[in-house]
Amino acid sequence: MTDYTDVCGRRLWPEARIVGGARSTFGRWPWQISLRQWRTSTYLHKCGAALLNENWAITAAHCVDSVPPSDLLLRLGEHDLASEEEPYGFQERRVQIVASHPQFDPRTFEYDLALLRFYEPVTFQPNILPVCVPTDDEGFIGKTAYVTGWGRLYEDGPLPSVLQEVSVPVIENSQCESMYRSAGYVEHIPHIFICAGWKKGGFDSCEGDSGGPMVLQRPDKRFLLAGVISWGIGCAEPNQPGVYTRISQFRHWINQILQF
Ligand code: ARG
């Protein structure tokens, strides 16, 4: 339990909205981060993010676009925003570097990815552990992905205080486009995105979940970061799956930035 060198994607806490999901349990998603932004007098939850190592988190570029780094605060190891008594506490970190993808396009949300470097490294503990970055995403289609966050429980709905989780199948981009078309939207969804959701809707990420992780579990039980929550039209509508930034496509960019 003291050797954290090779822990990525592993749960250590034994037990061990999102729309249509359920409350998570403590320590189930130890890479989940609440990305907060200073508003008037306090930091409020704005987006999700995921922990990559002791110095870096990953989120969506649209969450940090034109926000001064000094206005951002990352809260790691959080579970129930309203509870002060949890098995392990949270850690908070200020942001030293915001590296948004140079090709991020706020009009199309293409390249919706940003890396955040902390001022001070975090100490891993059972509720604060990094997720694995995949080398490829072969065989992801049809697999169950898990999406987590403190976003709205339905479109224009309330925000939960307990971290929510939902499972959705990964779908092919061509199918994702044709689903949107049958819903009346002509969306071009290039391979830098990865879609997940059901044809009938009902289960999805929503506003406030953006930037958070979509993970898949490998046969060896470790969790891989397949996507970062980017966009959707409404939340959990039929034929309108959630659209995520496809992390395997950005492996080299991520590794380059993480050298800093
Ligand atoms: N872009 C939204 C945000 O800023 C959420 C995106 C996910 N939407 C969806 N229907 N899957 O939080």
Side-chain angles (χ1 to χ4, degrees), residues 102-165:
Q103 293 175 79
F104 170 59
D105 182 344
R107 215 175 32 88
T108 61
F109 272 29
E110 286 174 17
Y111 303 92
D112 191 10
L113 211 54
L115 292 163
L116 310 174
R117 188 187 164 90
F118 317 145
Y119 264 104
E120 298 263 307
V122 292
T123 312
F124 295 156
Q125 55 189 52
N127 58 333
I128 302 182
L129 294 169
V131 69
C132 305
V133 173
T135 39
D136 60 75
D137 46 34
E138 246 177 83
F140 282 12
I141 303 297
K143 290 264 160 48
T144 298
Y146 301 90
V147 183
T148 47
W150 289 274
R152 295 194 191 284
L153 296 172
Y154 46 92
E155 201 177 347
D156 300 318
L159 296 163
S161 80
V162 174
L163 182 66
Q164 304 286 306
E165 63 177 69

Side-chain angles (χ1 to χ4, degrees), residues 5-255:
T5 50
D6 206 26
V7 290
C8 86
R10 250 187 208 152
R11 278 179 188 144
L12 284 186
W13 185 255
E15 173 222 25
R17 230 172 216 195
I18 298 288
V19 184
R23 291 156 62 107
S24 176
T25 57
F26 183 86
R28 237 169 106 75
W29 311 103
W31 39 83
Q32 176 76 48
I33 299 174
S34 165
L35 170 63
R36 300 167 158 260
Q37 187 175 336
W38 182 258
R39 307 275 184 184
T40 320
S41 63
T42 185
Y43 289 98
L44 294 181
H45 173 86
K46 180 185 195 185
C47 275
L51 186 63
L52 294 182
N53 62 30
E54 47 272 285
N55 287 298
W56 288 91
I58 191 165
T59 188
H62 81 260
C63 291
V64 293
D65 202 23
S66 69
V67 180
S70 57
D71 279 4
L72 297 173
L73 185 69
L74 297 162
R75 185 181 284 185
L76 304 97
E78 181 60 287
H79 171 63
D80 181 349
L81 301 169
S83 167
E84 279 164 24
E85 298 212 359
E86 294 185 336
Y88 285 81
F90 58 72
Q91 295 180 38
E92 290 186 326
R93 288 294 180 274
R94 308 286 300 271
V95 174
Q96 184 183 42
I97 301 174
V98 175
S100 287
H101 196 284
Q103 293 175 79
F104 170 59
D105 182 344
R107 215 175 32 88
T108 61
F109 272 29
E110 286 174 17
Y111 303 92
D112 191 10
L113 211 54
L115 292 163
L116 310 174
R117 188 187 164 90
F118 317 145
Y119 264 104
E120 298 263 307
V122 292
T123 312
F124 295 156
Q125 55 189 52
N127 58 333
I128 302 182
L129 294 169
V131 69
C132 305
V133 173
T135 39
D136 60 75
D137 46 34
E138 246 177 83
F140 282 12
I141 303 297
K143 290 264 160 48
T144 298
Y146 301 90
V147 183
T148 47
W150 289 274
R152 295 194 191 284
L153 296 172
Y154 46 92
E155 201 177 347
D156 300 318
L159 296 163
S161 80
V162 174
L163 182 66
Q164 304 286 306
E165 63 177 69
V166 71
S167 53
V168 274
V170 175
I171 58 187
E172 206 113 44
N173 286 47
S174 55
Q175 194 194 348
C176 191
E177 285 184 350
S178 66
M179 283 163 73
Y180 268 105
R181 217 170 303 124
S182 65
Y185 298 99
V186 181
E187 298 289 334
H188 174 57
I189 304 175
H191 197 67
I192 49 170
F193 292 118
I194 182 168
C195 296
W198 301 95
K199 203 167 170 38
K200 52 162 63 156
F203 304 88
D204 197 6
S205 41
C206 200
E207 193 197 336
D209 290 321
S210 283
M214 169 174 83
V215 297
L216 262 76
Q217 195 168 25
R218 289 201 311 211
D220 70 0
K221 301 291 176 201
R222 287 178 184 240
F223 287 88
L224 298 176
L225 186 67
V228 160
I229 304 172
S230 180
W231 61 275
I233 299 178
C235 301
E237 301 283 344
N239 285 310
Q240 293 167 215
V243 186
Y244 300 77
T245 301
R246 185 184 293 264
I247 295 309
S248 63
Q249 290 283 302
F250 295 96
R251 200 185 152 68
H252 300 300
W253 179 71
I254 292 168
N255 287 336

